[in-house]
Amino acid sequence: MKLELTREQLRELLDLVHLGGHVRALAREALKASVGEAEHVVEDTILSQALALGVEDIALSPEGAAVHSDIRADELHKLLAEYDAARFWDGLEERLGMRDFERGMTPVDQETIDRTSRMPERVKDLYVRYHEEFETYGVERLEINH
């Protein structure tokens, strides 16, 4: 099989493969699943071809493997840190919204779940409420009651 890409498209593919591999590894870690060797082989193969084609920001490691340059790796890690922070807040909104929904779930809500295998629309309102709260106030008003 032959895939023809411009250098810019190959650069974008490299970023997607690297970022996707990171997200996939985190998911496998969370699920306590082993990391597949195939995903590393794919990235290594694409990096090697990019190096041969002279794509910018690809370098050789001391061991002779094609890798992202230090500058590009730093940029990707900063992007991943931003993603991780955003995902944290999204997850917190969802968990708090679901907690509130479950505390106030009605028989009609349960009937909707049983009939449609989906959450009632009102659960989204709870997510939005937390999203707006965090956007406006951050965690300044967050209190832990025990």
Side-chain angles (χ1 to χ4, degrees), residues 111-143:
E111 180 183 315
T112 299
I113 294 167
D114 294 342
R115 183 174 35 81
T116 66
S117 298
R118 297 189 51 110
M119 299 302 289
E121 285 295 313
R122 76 179 188 84
V123 79
K124 291 178 186 173
D125 295 336
L126 295 168
Y127 300 157
V128 168
R129 191 178 88 208
Y130 279 105
H131 177 78
E132 290 170 350
E133 176 77 13
F134 293 148
E135 285 290 313
T136 303
Y137 301 105
V139 293
E140 295 303 314
R141 299 182 351 169
L142 186 63
E143 292 182 16

Side-chain angles (χ1 to χ4, degrees), residues 13-136:
L13 178 61
L14 284 166
D15 290 354
L16 291 170
V17 169
H18 184 78
L19 296 170
H22 176 77
V23 171
R24 190 174 183 182
L26 288 174
R28 286 180 192 260
E29 185 180 304
L31 296 172
K32 308 273 189 253
S34 61
V35 175
E37 187 60 30
E39 58 199 52
H40 296 296
V41 172
V42 169
E43 184 172 12
D44 292 346
T45 300
I46 295 171
L47 280 164
S48 294
Q49 291 182 6
L51 179 66
L53 292 170
V55 173
E56 292 180 19
D57 297 324
I58 306 297
L60 281 175
S61 71
E63 296 80 27
V67 295
H68 293 281
S69 70
D70 289 343
I71 292 171
R72 190 64 185 170
D74 286 346
E75 290 171 355
L76 291 170
H77 290 160
K78 286 177 186 173
L79 185 59
L80 286 168
E82 287 298 318
Y83 168 81
D84 289 343
R87 186 63 203 124
F88 168 80
W89 289 106
D90 291 346
L92 185 58
E93 291 164 8
E94 291 171 11
R95 288 179 181 200
L96 291 171
M98 185 57 67
R99 178 203 63 188
D100 292 354
F101 172 77
E102 289 171 351
R103 286 180 176 171
M105 189 163 59
T106 67
V108 172
D109 291 331
Q110 187 61 55
E111 180 183 315
T112 299
I113 294 167
D114 294 342
R115 183 174 35 81
T116 66
S117 298
R118 297 189 51 110
M119 299 302 289
E121 285 295 313
R122 76 179 188 84
V123 79
K124 291 178 186 173
D125 295 336
L126 295 168
Y127 300 157
V128 168
R129 191 178 88 208
Y130 279 105
H131 177 78
E132 290 170 350
E133 176 77 13
F134 293 148
E135 285 290 313
T136 303

